Amino acid sequence: MPTLGITDLWTYVLGTLFIVLLPGPNSLFVLATAAQRGVGAGYRAASAVFLGDAILMLLSALGIASLLKAEPMLFLGLKYVGAAYLFYLGAGMLRGGWQKLRQPVEQAVPAQELDVNQPFRKALLLSLSNPKAILFFVSFFIQFVDPGYAYPGLSFLVLGAILEVISALYLSFLIFSGVRLAAWFRRRQRLAAGASSGVGALFVGFGVKLATATLS
């Protein structure tokens, strides 16, 4: 029987686990941030991802997905803005990897000299720049909300809280893994440069995927 307007709760939890564990730009950005700048910066990026997901879930509950379907030009505009931002992040990582290969270790920019607000701002923009995520949230959530329940907002709230908890546990694992990987990569500069370039290439790939995405 539905509980709080939620049908098939454990199927939802299992599906959410698979969704969260799939590699994507948000999780890769949190991992890269923690590896480059430490646990604190990693959690600033992660908190922006939590906020971005919460905003997308709220927009989905309010019916923004229907608006995107009804206004194709709005979807196209958001899609290309999001793709351009992913290209920008990927190009920056590729450029950073190339610079690491060309400069001695002692000339690298110390992490403490970077803008401390940058991880949060970049991660939030990354979370909100993908219109396909809005459509995904609403199409996934709606399957587990009882249409006859009197308070569907409560159902969305519980489902969103479950997703955020699972995401927090996974991103925490990535953050501490990133810090450990950073210590290992610091002794292997060429390998670190290759890893940074690889992540950058993935972001460019995410940008291409978003730029070619359709509503169907």
Side-chain angles (χ1 to χ4, degrees):
M1 293 182 63
T3 302
L4 295 176
I6 300 171
T7 61
D8 212 350
L9 176 62
W10 292 111
T11 300
Y12 169 77
V13 172
L14 184 61
T16 301
L17 278 171
F18 282 116
I19 291 164
V20 170
L21 292 176
L22 283 174
N26 288 348
S27 57
L28 284 177
F29 183 77
V30 171
L31 176 63
T33 299
Q36 293 173 16
R37 303 189 45 206
V39 172
Y43 271 109
R44 284 195 290 277
S47 64
V49 172
F50 302 148
L51 177 59
D53 285 348
I55 292 172
L56 291 182
M57 285 185 279
L58 176 61
L59 291 174
S60 297
L62 294 175
I64 192 66
S66 299
L67 176 62
L68 289 178
K69 289 180 179 179
E71 299 291 343
M73 293 305 297
L74 176 60
F75 175 80
L76 285 174
L78 290 173
K79 181 178 75 168
Y80 289 126
V81 168
Y85 188 63
L86 288 170
F87 278 127
Y88 166 75
L89 291 178
M93 292 180 183
L94 286 169
R95 185 170 58 252
W98 175 250
Q99 289 174 345
K100 285 179 182 178
L101 286 174
R102 300 187 62 186
Q103 65 184 16
V105 176
E106 61 271 13
Q107 292 181 7
V109 178
Q112 60 268 27
E113 292 181 8
L114 300 176
D115 180 7
V116 296
N117 295 317
Q118 202 170 30
F120 183 90
R121 183 170 60 250
K122 282 188 174 181
L124 183 59
L125 287 172
L126 191 61
S127 296
L128 296 176
S129 62
N130 188 351
K132 293 290 286 187
I134 301 174
L135 298 175
F136 168 78
F137 273 124
V138 74
S139 64
F140 182 66
F141 282 164
I142 202 68
Q143 301 175 52
F144 302 95
V145 176
D146 180 10
Y149 188 61
Y151 307 103
L154 180 60
S155 305
F156 274 95
L157 180 62
V158 174
L159 293 173
I162 292 172
L163 186 147
E164 293 283 38
V165 168
I166 294 174
S167 179
L169 293 173
Y170 178 57
L171 291 181
S172 293
F173 169 76
L174 290 183
I175 287 168
F176 287 101
S177 298
V179 171
R180 292 177 66 87
L181 284 171
W184 190 77
F185 276 125
R186 272 194 290 269
R187 299 189 296 271
R188 299 164 176 85
Q189 183 171 335
R190 287 188 174 274
L191 192 58
S196 178
S197 299
V199 173
L202 282 174
F203 271 83
V204 172
F206 288 136
V208 172
K209 183 177 179 181
L210 178 56
T212 57
T214 64
L215 283 169
S216 57

